[in-house]
Amino acid sequence: MKFSTKEDLEVPIDDVFDMLSDFEGFERAAMRHGAEISRTGDEGVMGAGLGWRVKATFRGKLRDFNVTLSEYDRPNQMTFDARSNGMEATFLVELVALSRNRTRMRAELDVRPKTLSARLLMQSAKLARNTLNRRYKTRIAHFAEDLEDRHKRGLRATT
């Protein structure tokens, strides 16, 4: 199941990419929400191959995720691959400079089931596709607003 949306930000492309690359900030934010996170891969390298092992409660159950930064093309895009027991997901963030101080951010999430129980879960999610799509677009829009606010205040992005 794919979800995709675009948001235009009043922020230069390099600054948007820098805020999106603040992985330590995102790690701290996830930990504040109860997740356990440990980095994998070469921590000294900022780019493809960087990864995280995550334990978090999702839909009332503790779940393990392995997340890998599979593509890091500064300042154009980042791609993350996530694996869990029955699911795989790819999250793509693509940036396009519209002008010197304006950037279009496209965020695409593709979730794929790998087991029978995950397929059944996805089947029920398809029935609520419009609601899930609306929630996804709303969350990305709020995230984009947060990036703009942080840029105006001169801060880095942490959600």
Side-chain angles (χ1 to χ4, degrees):
M1 182 180 296
K2 268 192 184 180
F3 300 98
S4 184
T5 188
K6 294 179 207 167
E7 291 293 327
D8 292 347
L9 294 91
E10 294 292 332
V11 181
I13 191 169
D14 288 323
D15 292 348
V16 174
F17 196 88
D18 287 345
M19 288 188 284
L20 292 174
S21 298
D22 180 19
F23 300 128
E24 290 176 1
F26 289 114
E27 290 168 9
R28 286 190 305 273
M31 285 188 256
R32 281 194 303 269
H33 286 93
E36 294 178 32
I37 298 179
S38 60
R39 279 204 190 185
T40 61
D42 188 357
E43 291 187 34
V45 175
M46 176 65 85
L50 190 58
W52 298 265
R53 172 167 268 131
V54 181
K55 286 186 181 184
T57 302
F58 181 71
R59 301 185 72 81
K61 191 174 177 184
L62 186 65
R63 304 190 191 263
D64 292 320
F65 302 90
N66 288 314
V67 181
T68 304
L69 178 58
S70 57
E71 188 173 348
Y72 188 82
D73 177 19
R74 181 173 179 74
N76 303 311
Q77 75 179 39
M78 284 187 268
T79 304
F80 299 87
D81 293 321
R83 295 189 195 294
S84 158
N85 287 343
M87 302 276 217
E88 289 183 356
T90 301
F91 184 65
L92 166 73
V93 179
E94 184 178 62
L95 304 175
V96 176
L98 300 175
S99 69
R100 217 170 112 206
N101 292 317
R102 193 164 171 81
T103 303
R104 176 163 292 154
M105 177 177 70
R106 183 171 71 96
E108 181 178 290
L109 176 65
D110 183 14
V111 181
R112 301 169 302 281
K114 293 299 174 188
T115 63
L116 180 60
S117 60
R119 282 191 172 99
L120 292 172
L121 177 68
M122 291 300 290
Q123 198 62 30
S124 64
K126 285 182 182 180
L127 296 173
R129 182 174 179 83
N130 289 338
T131 302
L132 294 173
N133 202 27
R134 188 172 43 253
R135 282 186 196 164
Y136 179 77
K137 288 182 180 199
T138 300
R139 285 191 179 174
I140 297 297
H142 287 297
F143 180 71
E145 289 173 15
D146 186 51
L147 290 177
E148 284 182 325
D149 290 345
R150 290 175 188 279
H151 181 263
K152 288 176 188 171
R153 292 190 324 248
L155 302 174
R156 291 287 179 236
T158 54
T159 317

